[in-house]
Amino acid sequence: SKLAALFEHPLYNIPIPEVTEKDKLFIVNPMEKFSLHSSGSDEWVSSSKAETLLPTGKTAYDTYPTWLKFHVGINRYELYPRRDPLLPTLLRDLATQRIVSSVQKSGGTQLKLIMTFPNYGQALFKPMKQTRDQETPIDFFYFSDFERHNAEIAAFHLDRILDFRRIPPVSGRLVNITKEIRDITTDKKLAKTFFISPAGNVCFYGECSYYCSTEHALCGKPDRLEGSMAALLPDKTLAKRRSWRSPWRRSYHKSKKAEWELNPNYCAQVRETPPYDRGHRLLDLIDMTILDFLMGNMDRHHYETFEKFGNDTFLLHLDNGRGFGTHSRDEPSILAPLQQCCSIKKSTYLRLQLLATQPYRLSDLLREALAADPLAPVLAEPHLRALDRRLRKVLVAVGHCLAR
């Protein structure tokens, strides 16, 4: 396994700083069993109110469902550890656990569902909108592109191979629209949008600002539908997150350009603006830029951090559905932060160089990682080959900076 060899490499074994109590997202009492209130509220209740007693011979942590162990493990430095024994179980849960509730997630331009499991775990379901080999038309603006379920799956694995570990775990899943959405939803607005198509397939379209209409309906075959299941982060009432507007955000306009597209010295003013004026925030943003360039994602207008850790923490790489839309062309403007600031973390640069070598070729690693997903093959071959080409372009950009 190339993947196993990669994770054994010294560059993937650089220790993180010691994690103290204040570096953990949650401080939990090791003697107390936690469960979720069955009333439907998202608060944890202590063992005194829990319905079941702690089994003898087990610590409280052993009784947590996998999703809760994932939440408890989040710290200032990483969303999950490199050698996380929970990861295979969490991915399997996302792919196989019984769905007891499906409701539409509010907001956004396209339809997404929140699905709940019997152990109160939840996942964000993004349904399949187009086939693996459909490329985004060349005349489409980045903001009118569809979101792709397979891009969410591939982004999680790519993020892990780059050793960022800033995307919550995602698995593919084949969902039965009738039994796992229509028959169990309590969402009245969603329930009104189901219909049977002329071909006899079960379809629905939900309510949202752009792509929720009969013309953009999601249809099963006859009621089986592919989608991505992403583990949800802790509820914002338990762990507040701060949303930051990206300095290199696009204009989201058909003709207007953003300031960074017009001013070659734009980075100088970013470096003087908090939180980019100190610490590693700018370097973390450049890490995200590299991930986006490799995926071809132009839709990174915001990013989030956990409020508890202030400015000294990693960026969450959420919402990657507009990646992997095209393999036949690259978008150099995504790399603007790297090219304008000429800065990159040494550890990131060394790993990128490693992933450009034959034993650790990026496309081979991602192909191997995605082969274990229930929806494999997740990406069409040309997308995997494009990764190697784009990686070379990132290394060339760093080379120009070093020459300067």
Side-chain angles (χ1 to χ4, degrees), residues 228-290:
S228 62
M229 297 281 274
L232 283 191
L233 290 172
D235 190 273
K236 287 181 181 176
T237 57
L238 299 171
K240 288 193 176 74
R241 302 201 299 271
R242 180 161 177 190
S243 179
W244 304 80
R245 185 183 166 119
S246 169
W248 279 271
R249 181 186 187 273
R250 295 176 186 275
S251 65
Y252 287 80
H253 191 276
K254 293 183 179 70
S255 53
K256 277 185 191 163
K257 284 189 182 287
E259 189 183 348
W260 60 267
E261 294 176 280
L262 304 168
N263 177 6
N265 299 315
Y266 179 74
C267 185
Q269 68 191 57
V270 175
R271 285 184 190 277
E272 291 173 9
T273 311
Y276 307 100
D277 57 344
R278 61 166 203 84
H280 49 81
R281 177 62 66 90
L282 183 59
L283 292 170
D284 285 345
L285 190 114
I286 287 167
D287 280 352
M288 187 165 61
T289 290
I290 291 164

Side-chain angles (χ1 to χ4, degrees), residues 7-172:
F7 294 138
E8 291 297 326
H9 193 280
L11 285 174
Y12 286 75
N13 287 281
I14 300 164
I16 65 164
E18 187 191 350
V19 179
T20 63
E21 290 291 280
K22 69 177 193 306
D23 296 323
K24 294 175 181 175
L25 189 61
F26 296 115
I27 310 294
V28 284
N29 177 349
M31 300 306 293
E32 191 159 43
K33 179 179 182 290
F34 279 80
S35 73
L36 266 169
H37 226 352
S38 54
S39 66
S41 71
D42 285 340
E43 60 174 319
W44 292 354
V45 291
S46 68
S47 54
S48 56
K49 299 176 193 163
E51 291 160 23
T52 53
L53 292 167
L54 191 59
T56 52
K58 276 188 168 186
T59 66
Y61 180 81
D62 290 332
T63 68
Y64 295 174
T66 312
W67 64 266
L68 188 48
K69 290 179 180 173
F70 161 55
H71 287 179
V72 168
I74 298 169
N75 63 56
R76 181 185 298 278
Y77 307 108
E78 57 190 6
L79 199 53
Y80 57 89
R82 282 191 190 98
R83 299 168 189 277
D84 189 355
L86 296 174
L87 209 53
T89 313
L90 185 53
L91 291 172
R92 190 168 61 247
D93 284 356
L94 291 167
T96 61
Q97 276 222 329
R98 187 166 62 89
I99 297 165
V100 295
S101 163
S102 299
V103 296
Q104 187 171 343
K105 185 179 188 295
S106 57
T109 60
Q110 304 184 32
L111 181 130
K112 299 180 275 290
L113 302 177
I114 304 261
M115 294 186 159
T116 307
F117 305 125
N119 64 6
Y120 302 110
Q122 290 189 314
L124 182 67
F125 177 75
K126 282 194 179 179
M128 175 174 170
K129 294 246 174 56
Q130 55 189 57
T131 60
R132 306 279 193 280
D133 49 3
Q134 276 180 284
E135 277 202 277
T136 302
I138 199 162
D139 290 322
F140 264 37
F141 286 100
Y142 53 89
F143 48 80
S144 52
D145 193 9
F146 281 132
E147 290 187 25
R148 285 166 283 278
H149 71 303
N150 59 325
E152 294 285 359
I153 303 163
F156 161 67
H157 289 282
L158 177 60
D159 180 78
R160 185 166 172 244
I161 287 166
L162 293 169
D163 199 41
F164 296 154
R165 289 169 290 118
R166 298 166 197 166
I167 295 179
V170 185
S171 171

Side-chain angles (χ1 to χ4, degrees), residues 326-342:
T326 176
H327 52 71
S328 55
R329 54 192 186 275
D330 305 331
E331 183 48 60
S333 67
I334 300 172
L335 279 182
L338 171 66
Q339 292 164 328
Q340 292 178 356
C341 299
C342 265

